[in-house]
Amino acid sequence: MGKQGRKRLVSYALFLAALFQCRFLAFAILDPLDFLALQLIRKSMNDLPGSSFFASWDFTSDPCNFTGVYCESDKVIALNLGDPRAGFPGLTGRLDTAIGKLSALTEFSLVPGRVFGSLPMSISQLENLRVLAITRNFISGNIPASVGRLRRLKTLDLSYNRLTGKIPRSVGTVPELTNVLLCHNNLSGSVPPFLSQALTRLDLKRNALTGSLPNSFSPSLQFLSLSWNQLTGPVDSVLSRLDQLSFLDLSFNRFTGPIPDRVFSFPLTNLHLQRNSFYGPVQPGDQVKISTVDLSHNMLSGRISPMFSTVQNLYLNHNRFTGQVPDSLVDRLLSASLQTLYLQHNFLTGIGINPTAEIPQSTSLCIQYNCMVPPVQTPCPLKFETQKTRPTSLCNEWKG
């Protein structure tokens, strides 16, 4: 071998040595506890058919290059399990308790899949955790009260699982919570006080919660959904302070008492209070700028306020409203500015629509089963009463 050839061989050997050393250092840079935790997490979970999320998880290479693993220095700071793209298969298996060994973790998420079992108690050891999002899986059992130890937590999303038991009061004491999503579970008991002054989103819909609402909601709330529970009691004192709300849904509960007029001046886009037992008159102080207002299936009474004429979709059906329908609502309906007006099943006595008037095809009007003969025939929702007019005896009884 000539001198030039020996030089090339030595250079190549040095290159291989350097490459091996770099690979070794890259592999060894991760904290051993974090390395072991990732191994245990991987052993407890698998890709569903069609998923290849774990394809890069080759423990002979640097774990900080694994899909979903993010490191800082020698620690894992974020772990996002599963392909987040919509429609992609998720993961299956159980979430190993080793998750609690990732001591520097600030964010942990698990995309929709078929991961089952309970939420590991060890999660409460993650003192730096800011985001905990395990959604649309089959997680069951209780929410550990020790989750309240995560004092830096900002987002708690355990929605669309099979969680049971009560929402621990300790969760409500986490001081920096911004988003709490526990909807679509089987949680029971009362809604605990949420003391965070930063809370903007609270979604507890589709559970089995009971009792009345706490008076401790922060005025910072912008999104509040408690629909499809079994909550009771009045809400006027609770709602009156939440003047930053942009979305409010208390539908399908057992709330009672009056609806505070002030709520109609909030910067809401949607107001859903249907299917409760609210009663009394509804008189907004100014023109209502909310796009959709649904107060149907309650026991509201009195005259319909003309302030509702600026709403796009108005549902006042199945109440006890009386008198004439305001002309301003009719005008907006005929101009197609008011797209939906449901007034059926009340005690209304008149509506100023000429029988020859043409109802815009883009609008939906239903006025059947009131104390008047409908001047125009319009299609109403399916499964509605076949009677177009309420019996005179019932109308006279209501007047009396």
Side-chain angles (χ1 to χ4, degrees):
M1 180 181 295
K3 185 175 181 181
Q4 195 67 23
R6 285 195 298 271
K7 280 186 177 181
R8 288 180 181 174
L9 186 60
V10 170
S11 297
Y12 184 61
L14 290 172
F15 168 75
L16 288 178
L19 180 63
F20 177 79
Q21 185 178 22
C22 288
R23 285 177 60 86
F24 176 77
L25 288 174
F27 168 78
I29 195 171
L30 188 65
D31 181 278
L33 286 178
D34 285 26
F35 183 84
L36 178 60
L38 290 177
Q39 282 189 315
L40 292 172
I41 290 169
R42 172 64 185 92
K43 287 180 180 178
S44 67
M45 306 177 76
N46 289 294
D47 284 300
L48 284 170
S51 173
S52 58
F53 174 78
F54 282 126
S56 68
W57 283 47
D58 177 3
F59 285 93
T60 63
S61 61
D62 181 6
C64 293
N65 291 328
F66 292 177
T67 302
V69 177
Y70 303 89
C71 301
E72 190 174 280
S73 186
D74 64 339
K75 304 291 289 183
V76 177
I77 60 169
L79 182 59
N80 306 130
L81 295 178
D83 194 324
R85 289 175 292 181
F88 271 66
L91 307 177
T92 186
R94 293 177 178 270
L95 185 56
D96 197 274
T97 58
I99 186 71
K101 299 298 183 182
L102 300 174
S103 58
L105 205 63
T106 62
E107 177 181 329
F108 175 61
S109 66
L110 176 63
V111 302
R114 302 184 67 84
V115 176
F116 54 91
S118 59
L119 199 64
M121 297 280 289
S122 60
I123 282 180
S124 62
Q125 300 170 19
L126 304 174
E127 297 179 354
N128 297 305
L129 202 63
R130 289 174 172 79
V131 176
L132 175 58
I134 304 174
T135 182
R136 294 181 185 272
N137 277 279
F138 293 85
I139 304 297
S140 58
N142 295 345
I143 300 173
S146 54
V147 169
R149 297 176 191 167
L150 303 175
R151 307 306 286 174
R152 296 185 180 182
L153 197 63
K154 294 182 181 295
T155 294
L156 175 63
D157 185 356
L158 303 176
S159 58
Y160 293 88
N161 280 290
R162 296 179 175 180
L163 294 167
T164 55
K166 297 181 178 181
I167 302 173
R169 292 181 68 88
S170 59
V171 171
T173 68
V174 177
E176 298 181 24
L177 271 179
T178 303
N179 303 288
V180 178
L181 295 88
L182 302 176
C183 56
H184 290 263
N185 279 287
N186 297 305
L187 297 168
S188 57
S190 59
V191 178
F194 285 90
L195 306 181
S196 171
Q197 294 302 300
L199 191 64
T200 59
R201 185 181 183 94
L202 180 61
D203 192 345
L204 306 179
K205 66 175 174 284
R206 294 275 183 176
N207 279 289
L209 300 171
T210 56
S212 57
L213 297 184
N215 271 310
S216 57
F217 290 141
S218 170
S220 61
L221 262 181
Q222 297 175 18
F223 181 105
L224 178 60
S225 181
L226 304 172
S227 61
W228 291 91
N229 280 287
Q230 301 166 31
L231 298 166
T232 57
V235 300
D236 49 339
S237 62
V238 178
L239 293 184
S240 293
R241 299 181 299 104
L242 305 180
D243 57 3
Q244 300 301 309
L245 283 174
S246 61
F247 183 93
L248 175 61
D249 189 352
L250 304 182
S251 61
F252 291 87
N253 278 286
R254 301 172 184 174
F255 290 120
T256 58
I259 297 172
D261 294 338
R262 190 163 181 259
V263 75
F264 296 105
S265 65
F266 292 173
L268 290 162
T269 57
N270 291 269
L271 175 62
H272 298 278
L273 302 179
Q274 69 268 26
R275 302 276 180 174
N276 280 284
S277 296
F278 292 118
Y279 58 80
V282 183
Q283 296 296 324
D286 205 347
Q287 290 292 333
V288 179
K289 299 178 181 179
I290 306 169
S291 176
T292 297
V293 174
D294 194 340
L295 309 181
S296 64
H297 293 270
N298 279 288
M299 296 184 289
L300 301 170
S301 59
R303 294 181 176 270
I304 295 174
S305 172
M307 298 300 177
F308 284 121
S309 62
T310 42
V311 174
Q312 291 182 14
N313 300 285
L314 181 61
Y315 304 88
L316 301 178
N317 51 291
H318 290 79
N319 276 288
R320 299 173 181 177
F321 289 112
T322 56
Q324 182 90 3
V325 178
D327 290 339
S328 56
L329 266 73
V330 176
D331 293 341
R332 297 275 294 180
L333 179 80
L334 295 178
S335 68
S337 297
L338 202 166
Q339 297 171 4
T340 306
L341 181 60
Y342 281 2
L343 302 175
Q344 68 269 23
H345 213 289
N346 278 286
F347 293 83
L348 299 169
T349 53
I351 182 169
I353 296 181
N354 191 306
T356 60
E358 291 189 11
I359 307 298
Q361 291 186 351
S362 60
T363 65
S364 181
L365 170 68
C366 185
I367 51 176
Q368 293 185 16
Y369 208 69
N370 276 285
C371 297
M372 61 178 174
V373 176
V376 291
Q377 301 303 316
T378 56
C380 284
L382 298 175
K383 298 182 180 180
F384 186 68
E385 295 88 347
T386 56
Q387 290 179 286
K388 295 180 180 179
T389 304
R390 187 183 287 273
T392 304
S393 58
L394 292 179
C395 292
N396 290 336
E397 182 180 336
W398 182 248
K399 287 179 183 178

